Structure formats: structure tokens, C-alpha cells
Amino acid sequence: GKWVTYVSYPEQALWRSRVDGSDRLQLTYPPALASLPHWSPDATQIAYVDIQPGRPWKTFLISARGGAPQEMLAESDGEVDATWSPDGKKIAFGRTPDTAPERQIVSVFDLVTHQVSTVPGSKGLYSPRWSPDGRYLAALNLDSTKLLLFDFKIEKWSDWITEPEALGYPNWSPDGSYLYY
């Protein structure tokens, strides 16, 4: 709650600062075009999407103190919407629209083992968001009309909300009681 991260426009540079605007630090520079930043639970790293024309969108991790960004996965598929597990040991992410339909899944990258796994039943979902207690993962369907909830205890998805218009940018309240969209 002491720091914020944001993307400046039109430059699309990633910044971090204290909530009062002090201690500003630019974290990314051209040709990187940053988007969708998310803090690690211990506030030491930021995961963000690097958008480069003609290339797949890729998730990068960077220290909140600055330095060289590290590509999360060296693969050809795009990665977007990184969300940290509450313990900071895993990152769930979706795929970009240009990814082959059979790869439109929600995956989990284990930062300790460097293994990638698929969330069961997540085909056709994106924009995952881990609940603060770690029990649930919320995600959107590809046309953004449904918000689904995965329960890690029972390993099952349930339809949570359906809207005729598009849903977007889901975010859990800090206590996990609400999911804003």
C-alpha cells in the first residue's frame, strides 16, 4: 500500500513511485511498450506485458528497484495478464488472441521449479486473477461475457457472472470478499 506502478501514455513506459508521487523511477524504456503491470505480493517485483509490433506479447518481470527486465518464458506463444499467487511463488497467465485456439488456456508458471502447468478446464479462458487467500482463480471467457471462478480445492470451474456486454479487468478486493470488474 505504499507504492504504485503505472504505465505512462503515450510512451507506454512502466514506472513505480510512492503513492504520494515521490521516489518516481522509470522501469522500462523503448522499444518496450509496457502494459498490465502487477506487483508481486512482497512488493519486490513487477510482472508486466511487453508489447512489440510484429511480435507476440510477452510477460516480463522486473525488480521494483529497476534493472534489466527478465522474460518470464522463452517461448513463441504470447503471454498476458500475469497474476501472482499470494505466496509469490507462482504466476498464472493467459494467452494472447493470436495464439492458436488449442493453446487459449490459463497456465501457471512455478517460479521455483520453472515448470508450466495448465489450469484444468481453462481452455477458452483468459485474464486470470488469483484470490488473496489463494483458493480461487477468476478468469474471463474469450468474448468477455462470462466471469468464471476456479476453486483449487475441488479443481472445478463455475460460472459466476454473465453479462450481455463485455466484462474486463477483474480485480479482487484486498480481503477477497469482492471481485471488481
Side-chain angles (χ1 to χ4, degrees):
K2 296 177 183 177
W3 295 92
V4 296
T5 183
Y6 59 94
V7 175
S8 62
Y9 289 95
E11 306 85 12
Q12 283 190 257
L14 181 67
W15 293 78
R16 71 98 174 114
S17 73
R18 293 194 181 272
V19 293
D20 67 2
S22 64
D23 291 327
R24 253 180 93 193
L25 179 65
Q26 185 172 349
L27 299 172
T28 64
Y29 297 87
L33 300 174
S35 185
L36 301 167
H38 292 278
W39 283 96
S40 64
D42 65 2
T44 62
Q45 295 185 84
I46 300 164
Y48 69 95
V49 176
D50 180 6
I51 302 168
Q52 303 232 358
R55 298 176 58 195
W57 293 10
K58 300 296 291 182
T59 296
F60 279 78
L61 307 175
I62 190 164
S63 168
R65 293 187 208 146
Q70 300 296 314
E71 187 176 23
M72 184 175 74
L73 294 173
E75 61 177 23
S76 59
D77 285 338
E79 309 128 9
V80 68
D81 272 338
T83 181
W84 297 84
S85 63
D87 64 7
K89 294 180 181 177
K90 296 178 180 179
I91 296 176
F93 61 95
R95 299 294 180 173
T96 55
D98 60 341
T99 303
E102 65 275 6
R103 299 272 301 146
Q104 287 288 344
I105 54 175
V106 174
S107 300
V108 176
F109 176 63
D110 187 310
L111 291 158
V112 177
T113 67
H114 299 279
Q115 298 297 309
V116 178
S117 60
T118 299
V119 176
S122 66
K123 187 174 181 182
L125 301 179
Y126 80 106
S127 196
R129 296 292 186 271
W130 227 306
S131 67
D133 65 3
R135 179 170 177 182
Y136 301 103
L137 194 68
L140 299 173
N141 67 345
L142 290 179
D143 68 0
S144 301
T145 57
K146 285 187 179 184
L147 182 63
L148 296 95
L149 197 64
F150 183 77
D151 186 330
F152 283 100
K153 274 191 178 177
I154 61 173
E155 292 195 354
K156 185 177 178 185
W157 288 96
S158 58
D159 286 354
W160 205 17
I161 297 170
T162 301
E163 291 282 343
E165 301 295 323
L167 303 163
Y169 305 102
N171 281 292
W172 289 92
S173 63
D175 66 1
S177 296
Y178 298 94
L179 187 74
Y180 303 105
Y181 61 90

